């Protein structure tokens, strides 16, 4: 076994480390250019260069209590998982094992407080603002349908299964509502991609890598100039932290291969091996995903806190005032940001309408600037506030918007 604290018999040559850093930077720039988004060779180069660079650092860890070097290596390895996806046989498992080894030998764990996020202990549904841009409620099923019923009858329209996930470990013995538990399963030194700002349509919105422990602590602080709203959104956290994957139970419905809906005939399942993409969404009260569409069926599970969801059918698209698609020149100039971890980098699937507008904003803005939305969409739109354990299903192409009513942890399953 690799002794992480063992000093190297022969120190690594600086030139070797420099060459690997340059290779990683070259690969990162190639991944960041719009025409290289799906280039596996650059992701492999980035993965292998960072992995070899980290192995050099690991072999030469000093026999001291300095935690900066181990943390920098873990951050580099996390970036491989997040940015490149660690392609290549055995690469992901090797990286996860290396991170665990570094943590156990160089970053001893600390005692954690397993208290819940401060604003999720006493929910009061009466405090949720009403949605003026919807006219109905999303249907709730009294019992889960059979797989045949789902395929034949329920896979074409949204529905809610109240409390369907209430028995998940994530809501019980492995509580995701506990910052301490979430810190313990990741271990020290981990980093995650975080959105800065409550709405990705605004100019002050940005993205950055942040220490997982620090991000969790920031969720309990009030937003301000010094403490902007932070949101971990559409990130495959359960792959980065495999212990979390054991805390959920994927419904069998996602393996039924439902037919393409009549109002979204160009549906195709995700292109990965399991035709399933699982993403995590974690943020404080006030985080918003504006009205947009996704190209997949979706089981959306509320694990911690409450989240309000707004839905409208694909037929509403002409009246949703989506952002225009990028021009040819802007598409060439646009640079893909791997930290975004987004399958839909343009905003042509996003509406300019604020479906969570306050009464005054509805009167002054929505009705005046977006008359077709008010005329055509609102009568068909539905909404609901999901409680922990609730599961929402909706087909591809449906317009949906989300608003966290308190610190909220959700899981989406695209299939």
């Amino acid at each position: 076994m690799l002794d992480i604290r063992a000093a190297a018999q022969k120190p690594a040559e600086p030139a070797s480390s420099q060459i690997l850093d340059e290779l990683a930077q070259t690969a990162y720039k190639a991944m960041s250019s719009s025409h290289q988004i799906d280039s596996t060779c650059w992701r492999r180069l980035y993965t292998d260069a960072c992995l070899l660079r980290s192995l050099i650092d690991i072999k030469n860890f000093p026999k001291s209590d300095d935690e900066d070097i181990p943390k920098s290596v873990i951050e580099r390895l996390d970036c491989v998982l997040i940015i490149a996806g660690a392609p290549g046989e055995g690469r992901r498992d090797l990286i996860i094992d290396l991170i665990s080894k570094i943590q156990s030998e160089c970053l001893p764990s600390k005692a954690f407080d397993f208290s819940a996020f401060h604003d999720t202990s006493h929910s009061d549904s009466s405090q949720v603002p009403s949605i003026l841009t919807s006219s109905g409620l999303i249907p709730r099923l009294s019992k889960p349908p059979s797989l045949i019923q789902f395929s034949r009858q329920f896979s074409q329209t949204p529905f809610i299964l109240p409390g369907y996930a209430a028995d998940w470990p994530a809501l019980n013995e492995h509580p995701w509502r506990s910052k301490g538990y979430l810190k313990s399963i990741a271990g020290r030194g981990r980093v995650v991609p975080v959105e800065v700002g409550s709405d990705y349509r605004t100019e002050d919105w940005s993205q950055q890598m942040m220490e997982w422990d620090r991000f969790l602590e920031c969720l309990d602080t009030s937003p301000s100039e010094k403490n902007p709203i932070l949101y971990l959104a559409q990130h495959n956290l359960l792959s980065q932290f495999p212990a979390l994957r054991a805390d959920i139970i994927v419904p069998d419905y996602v393996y039924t291969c439902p037919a393409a809906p009549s109002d979204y005939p160009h549906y195709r399942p995700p292109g990965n091996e399991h035709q399933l993409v699982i993403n995590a969404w974690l943020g404080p009260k006030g985080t918003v995903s504006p009205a947009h569409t996704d190209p997949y069926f979706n089981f959306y599970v509320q694990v911690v806190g409450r989240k309000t969801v707004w839905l409208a059918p694909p037929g509403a698209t002409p009246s949703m005032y989506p952002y225009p698609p990028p021009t040819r020149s802007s598409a060439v100039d646009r640079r893909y940001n791997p930290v975004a971890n987004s399958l839909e980098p343009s905003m042509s699937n996003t509406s300019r309408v604020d479906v969570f507008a306050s009464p005054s904003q509805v009167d002054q803005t929505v009705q005046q600037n977006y008359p077709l939305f008010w005329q055509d969409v609102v009568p068909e739109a539905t909404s609901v506030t999901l409680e922990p354990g609730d599961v929402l299903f909706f087909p591809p192409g449906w317009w949906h918007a989300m608003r966290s009513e308190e610190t909220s942890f959700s899981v989406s399953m695209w299939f």
Side-chain angles (χ1 to χ4, degrees):
M1 293 181 66
L2 178 64
D3 183 358
I4 291 202
R5 285 196 179 276
Q9 296 179 355
K10 180 179 179 181
E13 295 181 5
S16 301
S17 298
Q18 183 178 352
I19 290 172
L20 290 171
D21 287 341
E22 290 174 354
L23 286 173
Q25 186 64 22
T26 298
Y28 180 85
K29 289 180 179 179
M31 289 189 296
S32 301
S33 62
S34 58
H35 61 283
Q36 295 288 358
I37 289 177
D38 298 319
S39 180
T40 301
C41 64
W42 291 114
R43 293 191 297 115
R44 277 290 299 268
L45 177 59
Y46 182 81
T47 296
D48 290 346
C50 289
L51 185 53
L52 290 172
R53 179 70 165 87
S54 298
L55 289 172
I56 290 174
D57 287 345
I58 288 172
K59 190 176 182 183
N60 291 285
F61 273 172
K63 291 184 177 180
S64 70
D65 295 327
D66 181 13
E67 295 184 346
D68 289 342
I69 296 178
K71 284 185 174 180
S72 69
V73 174
I74 290 176
E75 179 176 358
R76 183 189 298 122
L77 294 173
D78 263 335
C79 285
V80 172
L81 296 174
I82 296 165
I83 295 173
E89 185 176 356
R91 297 297 196 278
R92 174 175 290 276
D93 290 341
L94 174 58
I95 288 172
I96 290 173
D97 288 345
L98 283 174
I99 290 174
S100 178
K101 186 72 172 175
I102 295 169
Q103 289 173 328
S104 64
E105 295 195 13
C106 303
L107 298 174
S109 60
K110 299 178 181 179
F112 293 117
D113 177 9
F114 280 76
S115 59
F117 291 109
H118 74 82
D119 63 348
T120 58
S121 299
H122 304 286
S123 298
D124 182 2
S125 57
S126 65
Q127 296 178 356
V128 177
S130 60
I131 305 298
L132 302 178
T133 57
S134 68
S135 299
L137 299 175
I138 301 171
R140 292 174 176 265
L141 302 186
S142 58
K143 63 178 182 179
S146 67
L147 298 183
I148 293 178
Q149 286 177 319
F150 172 74
S151 296
R152 293 180 178 177
Q153 182 180 353
F154 293 101
S155 64
Q156 304 298 303
T157 57
F159 62 81
I160 297 169
L161 296 176
Y164 183 84
D167 292 334
W168 279 13
L171 284 88
N172 296 284
E173 65 269 24
H174 295 163
W176 287 14
R177 63 184 177 275
S178 163
K179 291 184 294 183
Y181 174 72
L182 295 176
K183 290 179 181 179
S184 68
I185 57 91
R188 297 175 59 202
R190 306 304 297 270
V191 298
V192 292
V194 172
E195 297 181 357
V196 182
S198 61
D199 188 333
Y200 64 72
R201 296 172 299 181
T202 59
E203 292 184 1
D204 60 351
W205 179 87
S206 63
Q207 299 162 308
Q208 67 180 59
M209 292 289 189
M210 177 177 286
E211 288 186 4
W212 174 242
D213 289 3
R214 180 176 163 232
F215 168 65
L216 293 174
E217 292 302 325
C218 288
L219 295 179
D220 273 346
T221 60
S222 300
S224 66
E225 243 182 73
K226 291 185 178 179
N227 301 307
I229 288 181
L230 303 175
Y231 194 19
L232 184 145
Q234 197 176 311
H235 173 50
N236 194 349
L237 188 70
L238 280 63
S239 177
Q240 187 182 359
F241 302 158
L244 288 179
R245 180 61 180 80
D247 293 342
I248 72 168
I249 302 171
V250 176
D252 290 339
Y253 302 116
V254 307
Y255 302 112
T256 57
C257 301
S262 58
D263 52 7
Y264 201 84
H266 51 285
Y267 158 77
R268 296 291 183 274
N272 59 10
E273 179 182 0
H274 300 288
Q275 297 188 331
L276 174 65
V277 174
I278 301 177
N279 282 318
W281 311 76
L282 173 59
K285 178 179 180 179
T287 48
V288 172
S289 295
H292 65 284
T293 63
D294 293 321
Y296 307 113
F297 290 94
N298 191 351
F299 267 98
Y300 195 90
V301 186
Q302 191 62 23
V303 181
V304 177
R306 296 165 302 156
K307 181 170 283 186
T308 297
V309 182
W310 178 96
L311 290 177
T317 296
S319 301
M320 284 299 298
Y321 296 89
Y323 286 90
T327 63
R328 183 176 181 84
S329 59
S330 66
V332 171
D333 292 339
R334 177 180 55 80
R335 290 295 178 261
Y336 170 67
N337 182 357
V339 178
N341 195 21
S342 173
L343 298 180
E344 291 288 338
S346 81
M347 290 220 297
S348 57
N349 69 329
T350 301
S351 174
R352 288 172 281 174
V353 181
D354 181 4
V355 302
F356 296 123
S358 65
S360 62
Q361 291 172 323
V362 166
D363 293 338
Q364 297 173 9
T365 305
V366 177
Q367 290 181 333
Q368 295 178 15
N369 295 348
Y370 307 109
L372 292 179
F373 171 85
W374 198 259
Q375 172 185 308
D376 301 332
V377 181
V378 173
E380 295 188 78
T382 56
S383 61
V384 70
T385 296
L386 298 174
E387 302 283 342
D390 289 348
V391 175
L392 166 67
F393 165 79
F394 54 93
W398 276 70
W399 289 91
H400 56 286
M402 316 282 189
R403 180 183 67 197
S404 297
E405 306 300 344
E406 55 204 8
T407 299
S408 169
F409 204 158
S410 315
V411 175
S412 62
M413 303 178 190
W414 288 348
F415 63 102

